[in-house]
């Protein structure tokens, strides 16, 4: 079965900036859960892996892009629990730090075109692979199913916060967080996708699956920096400065954008007097690939 969750560190951030704007800020360090299965990936995989054992399956098949945190985490779980994993990878065949590590952890990679990936459930490659495997267990991209949502409901255990904030990719982590909050608490999600307003409908559907009618949440869509895995110089400088001041690494695809957005809301006075919890959802494995892609070094001395 899935390993026991270690004790989670909640770390206070202190600065003149936060004092000036009358905000108490804490970071829940889910990035420290495991060196390779960190953050929300641990949460989304927990019940899926338990279901894999309950159904007595023999393989795991999942989906993702070439830099996917989910692909990396699933491969690591496979190695840890001696499960054969298969990754259906979107796009042309490449080999980067994420995929090399996934292969090292025993995952068998299958590349399909972006067009085929859009209809991946009906793709001949996927259908043939599932037919060839003995008792495969399928986990959707990002672990975004009901079991993944239920895992994300367990992220926030401390009710002593006014606001809980996190990055949003598919919206499933954010949905689980919203569902778990008390009526007097509010959730803020920061979309890392350009045009991320469509996530609101997905979040509502997720909340319906979780039988939650909470409306104490807001999706911020103005901090995507050009779109998924894109950036602007001010984002990189913010991440570097945050690291230098707090010794906490943020990644440029998810948590860096979300924290930048949170600091912008704080500066605008919207969170004055609020005790705020930021969920560090991990994703640090993707930094090397991001740096190689753009030819930069984020955490240079």
């Amino acid at each position: 079965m899935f390993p026991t969750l270690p004790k989670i560190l909640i770390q206070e951030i202190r600065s003149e900036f936060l004092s000036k704007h009358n905000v108490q800020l804490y970071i829940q360090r889910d990035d420290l859960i495991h060196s390779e299965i960190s953050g929300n990936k641990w949460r989304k995989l927990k019940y899926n892996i338990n279901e894999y054992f309950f159904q007595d399956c023999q393989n795991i098949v999942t989906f993702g892009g070439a830099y996917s945190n989910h692909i990396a985490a699933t491969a690591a779980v496979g190695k840890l629990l001696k499960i054969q994993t298969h990754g259906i990878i979107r796009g042309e065949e490449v080999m980067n730090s994420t995929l090399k590590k996934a292969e090292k952890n025993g995952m068998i990679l299958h590349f399909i075109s972006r067009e085929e990936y859009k209809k991946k459930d009906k793709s001949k490659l996927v259908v043939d692979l599932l037919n060839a495997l003995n008792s495969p267990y399928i986990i959707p991209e990002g672990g975004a199913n009901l079991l993944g949502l239920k895992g994300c409901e367990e992220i926030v255990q401390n009710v002593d916060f006014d606001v809980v904030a996190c990055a949003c990719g598919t919206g499933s982590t954010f949905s689980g967080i919203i569902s778990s909050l008390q009526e007097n608490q509010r959730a803020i999600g920061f979309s890392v996708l350009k045009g991320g307003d469509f996530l609101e409908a997905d979040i509502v559907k997720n909340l319906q699956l979780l039988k939650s009618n909470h409306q104490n949440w807001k999706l911020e869509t103005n901090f995507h920096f050009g779109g998924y895995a894109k950036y602007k110089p001010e984002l990189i400088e913010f991440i570097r400065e945050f690291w230098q001041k707090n010794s906490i690494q943020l990644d440029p695809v998810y948590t860096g954008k979300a924290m930048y957005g949170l600091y912008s809301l704080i500066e605008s006075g919207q969170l004055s007097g609020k005790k705020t919890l930021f969920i560090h959802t991990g994703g640090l494995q993707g930094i090397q690939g991001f740096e190689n892609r753009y030819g930069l070094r984020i955490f240079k001395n």
Side-chain angles (χ1 to χ4, degrees), residues 122-134:
K122 299 179 181 178
S123 164
K124 184 177 186 303
L125 183 149
V126 175
V127 172
D128 288 349
L129 174 62
L130 295 178
N131 288 336
L133 294 176
N134 181 28

Side-chain angles (χ1 to χ4, degrees), residues 4 10 13 16 30 34 38 69-70 72 77 101 113-114 130 142-143 146 154 186 199 221-222 231-232 276:
T4 302
I10 295 180
I13 304 298
E16 291 183 7
D30 275 25
H34 188 275
S38 71
N69 294 321
H70 171 70
V77 167
K101 190 59 182 290
S113 70
R114 294 178 183 275
L130 295 178
L146 180 58
E154 299 176 353
R186 183 161 62 101
L199 287 174
T221 59
N222 294 321
Y231 78 99
K232 293 180 180 179
T276 301

Side-chain angles (χ1 to χ4, degrees), residues 97-116:
S97 57
T98 296
L99 296 181
K100 285 179 182 177
K101 190 59 182 290
E103 273 200 332
K104 185 177 180 181
N105 281 335
M107 176 175 278
I108 299 173
L109 304 178
H110 309 266
F111 294 87
I112 61 175
S113 70
R114 294 178 183 275
E115 286 302 312
E116 281 288 295

Side-chain angles (χ1 to χ4, degrees), residues 2-3 6 30-45 67-81 85 97-107 281-286 288:
F2 207 70
D30 275 25
D31 58 308
L32 301 179
I33 288 176
H34 188 275
S35 60
E36 294 185 69
I37 318 161
S38 71
N40 58 348
K41 300 312 172 191
W42 176 287
R43 310 288 189 166
K44 291 180 180 181
L45 287 170
Y67 296 91
S68 167
N69 294 321
H70 171 70
I71 288 291
T74 304
V77 167
K79 180 180 179 181
L80 181 67
L81 300 179
T85 57
S97 57
T98 296
L99 296 181
K100 285 179 182 177
K101 190 59 182 290
E103 273 200 332
K104 185 177 180 181
N105 281 335
M107 176 175 278
T281 49
L284 300 182
Q285 72 81 26
Q288 183 180 346

Side-chain angles (χ1 to χ4, degrees), residues 41-168:
K41 300 312 172 191
W42 176 287
R43 310 288 189 166
K44 291 180 180 181
L45 287 170
K46 173 184 173 181
Y47 289 115
N48 274 294
I49 296 302
N50 288 345
E51 184 66 15
Y52 160 90
F53 284 113
F54 178 77
Q55 293 187 17
D56 197 24
C57 295
Q58 303 300 314
N59 301 267
I60 286 176
V61 177
T62 196
F63 306 82
Y67 296 91
S68 167
N69 294 321
H70 171 70
I71 288 291
T74 304
V77 167
K79 180 180 179 181
L80 181 67
L81 300 179
K82 296 180 173 55
I83 301 170
Q84 178 60 68
T85 57
H86 293 261
I88 309 297
I89 311 300
R90 179 181 63 248
E92 66 281 355
E93 185 168 348
V94 295
M95 195 52 64
N96 56 37
S97 57
T98 296
L99 296 181
K100 285 179 182 177
K101 190 59 182 290
E103 273 200 332
K104 185 177 180 181
N105 281 335
M107 176 175 278
I108 299 173
L109 304 178
H110 309 266
F111 294 87
I112 61 175
S113 70
R114 294 178 183 275
E115 286 302 312
E116 281 288 295
Y117 195 87
K118 290 177 182 178
K119 53 179 181 180
K120 53 184 175 291
D121 293 341
K122 299 179 181 178
S123 164
K124 184 177 186 303
L125 183 149
V126 175
V127 172
D128 288 349
L129 174 62
L130 295 178
N131 288 336
L133 294 176
N134 181 28
S135 301
Y137 181 81
I138 302 171
I139 302 177
E141 183 174 6
N145 59 8
L146 180 58
L147 293 174
L149 288 170
K150 287 186 176 296
C152 290
E153 276 191 306
E154 299 176 353
I155 291 175
V156 179
Q157 299 291 328
N158 194 318
V159 298
D160 188 29
F161 291 96
D162 303 305
V163 175
V164 180
C166 72
C168 281

